[in-house]
């Protein structure tokens, strides 16, 4: 059953795709209008959660979105149903015409029990509403992807859970989701995922990009955070990636609860 407009869902499913698309010039707004109108409820009818859709204000050729599944097997079935179904058949040419690359996908799972998204009470806007976020007071999401050395995975997760996450909460920006790489075999190889990755990805929600910027200043000025960051850096294989994202009007993540 699809989720009705303007209503929320519960805790997000334990298999999550973080999808980052590179688009043709001018393609992002076309894709967002199409996606928010045609691809939200219709994907959820197959058993997925459409968690969030985002503009990257720093890169106009980027569209980022998230969807979740109950298991790798239900992922296989849901993707087969959607991409083999009438809605995708009707709109795939229009969608694909906006894209240069859609294969930059991380397959994730909650880093520990309770670390997934809690989407209960989230409000999704009506289908026709996908206007750009107008100013720095609009909601924003910060995604940080930490690349971890394989042998240091457990140490990194433990340090993040026990030290980094509580400190971020005390600094006023609690984590809305913490995920690690899901190394299961891709059950729907028609849609590639990035293989050989070992990451921890965090998601933080802010009232606006100005609040996000203030948070960056606060963590940079905090001696405790600098000490934890030095420890975390010793476990990484390379520098983390940051994504400053603006949710579309039909995104659940990044929008206030009802």
């Amino acid at each position: 059953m699809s989720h009705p407009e303007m209503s929320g869902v519960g805790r997000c499913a334990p298999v999550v795709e973080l999808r980052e698309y590179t688009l043709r010039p001018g393609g992002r707004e076309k894709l967002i209008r199409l996606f928010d109108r045609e691809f939200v409820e219709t994907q959820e009818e197959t058993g997925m959660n459409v968690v969030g859709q985002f503009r990257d204000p720093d890169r106009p050729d980027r569209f980022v979105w998230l969807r979740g599944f109950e298991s790798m097997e239900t992922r296989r079935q849901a993707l087969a149903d959607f991409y083999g179904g009438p809605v995708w058949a009707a709109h795939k040419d229009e969608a694909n015409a906006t894209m240069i690359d859609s294969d930059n996908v991380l397959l994730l799972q909650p880093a520990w029990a309770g670390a997934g998204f809690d989407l209960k009470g989230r409000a999704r806007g009506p289908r026709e509403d996908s206007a750009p976020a107008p100013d720095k007071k609009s909601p924003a999401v910060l995604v940080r992807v930490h690349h971890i050395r394989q042998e240091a995975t457990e140490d990194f997760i433990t340090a993040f859970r026990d030290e980094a996450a509580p400190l971020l909460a005390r600094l006023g920006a609690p984590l809305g989701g913490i995920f690690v790489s899901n190394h299961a075999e891709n059950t729907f190889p028609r849609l590639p995922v990035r293989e050989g990755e070992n990451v921890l990805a965090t998601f933080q929600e802010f009232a606006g990009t100005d609040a996000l910027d203030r948070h960056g200043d606060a963590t940079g000025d905090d001696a405790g955070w600098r000490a934890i960051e030095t420890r975390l850096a010793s476990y990484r294989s390379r520098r983390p990636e940051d994504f400053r994202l603006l949710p579309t009007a039909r995104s659940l993540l990044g929008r206030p609860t009802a």
Side-chain angles (χ1 to χ4, degrees), residues 150-220:
Q150 188 69 48
E151 70 276 10
T153 302
E154 292 304 318
D155 289 336
F156 189 98
I157 292 172
T158 299
F160 208 95
R161 181 192 63 208
D162 295 346
E163 301 177 53
L167 180 54
L168 288 170
R170 290 197 295 274
L171 290 172
L175 293 162
I178 310 99
F179 294 82
V180 293
S181 292
N182 184 325
H183 297 293
E185 180 181 357
N186 184 1
T187 52
F188 195 75
R190 175 178 163 187
L191 295 183
V193 299
R194 287 162 56 179
E195 298 183 353
E197 299 284 352
N198 192 48
V199 306
L200 182 144
T202 62
F203 298 80
Q204 292 169 281
E205 299 174 272
F206 296 89
T209 54
D210 51 353
L212 191 160
D213 291 340
R214 289 195 299 272
H215 167 70
D217 294 340
T219 53

Side-chain angles (χ1 to χ4, degrees), residues 207-246:
T209 54
D210 51 353
L212 191 160
D213 291 340
R214 289 195 299 272
H215 167 70
D217 294 340
T219 53
D221 292 340
D222 187 86
W225 178 253
R226 292 199 302 271
I228 292 173
E229 177 60 24
T230 298
R231 280 194 51 207
L232 295 176
S234 70
Y235 301 134
R236 295 193 188 107
S237 59
R238 58 187 172 98
R239 291 180 61 85
E241 301 173 81
D242 282 356
F243 302 87
R244 294 158 39 96
L245 303 176
L246 303 179

Side-chain angles (χ1 to χ4, degrees), residues 33-248:
R33 286 193 296 271
L34 177 64
F35 191 106
D36 279 2
R37 187 182 71 241
E38 303 293 346
F39 296 156
V40 176
E41 284 80 7
T42 53
Q43 288 190 86
E44 293 192 330
E45 286 168 359
T46 70
M48 311 181 204
N49 290 136
V50 178
V51 178
Q53 309 94 263
F54 307 94
R55 297 170 175 87
D56 183 335
D58 302 315
R59 298 181 298 174
D61 63 343
R62 292 296 192 273
F63 173 65
V64 180
W65 66 290
L66 293 142
R67 63 182 168 192
F69 310 84
E70 285 298 327
S71 69
M72 292 300 291
E73 174 55 27
T74 57
R75 173 180 179 270
R76 181 197 66 78
Q77 187 61 58
L79 294 178
D81 289 346
F82 179 75
Y83 290 104
V87 174
W88 182 245
H91 300 289
K92 65 180 179 180
D93 290 344
E94 185 180 357
N96 288 334
T98 68
M99 302 178 195
I100 296 173
D101 174 49
S102 60
D103 294 346
N104 188 354
V105 180
L106 287 171
L107 191 62
L108 304 170
Q109 63 189 25
W112 55 81
F117 299 122
D118 186 357
L119 302 175
K120 184 170 57 179
R122 297 301 177 103
R124 176 176 283 151
R127 289 190 180 198
E128 66 274 12
D129 185 3
S130 59
D135 55 38
K136 290 188 175 184
K137 300 299 182 183
S138 300
V141 172
L142 175 64
V143 182
R144 176 163 290 175
V145 179
H146 303 265
H147 298 268
I148 313 166
R149 290 184 289 108
Q150 188 69 48
E151 70 276 10
T153 302
E154 292 304 318
D155 289 336
F156 189 98
I157 292 172
T158 299
F160 208 95
R161 181 192 63 208
D162 295 346
E163 301 177 53
L167 180 54
L168 288 170
R170 290 197 295 274
L171 290 172
L175 293 162
I178 310 99
F179 294 82
V180 293
S181 292
N182 184 325
H183 297 293
E185 180 181 357
N186 184 1
T187 52
F188 195 75
R190 175 178 163 187
L191 295 183
V193 299
R194 287 162 56 179
E195 298 183 353
E197 299 284 352
N198 192 48
V199 306
L200 182 144
T202 62
F203 298 80
Q204 292 169 281
E205 299 174 272
F206 296 89
T209 54
D210 51 353
L212 191 160
D213 291 340
R214 289 195 299 272
H215 167 70
D217 294 340
T219 53
D221 292 340
D222 187 86
W225 178 253
R226 292 199 302 271
I228 292 173
E229 177 60 24
T230 298
R231 280 194 51 207
L232 295 176
S234 70
Y235 301 134
R236 295 193 188 107
S237 59
R238 58 187 172 98
R239 291 180 61 85
E241 301 173 81
D242 282 356
F243 302 87
R244 294 158 39 96
L245 303 176
L246 303 179
T248 76

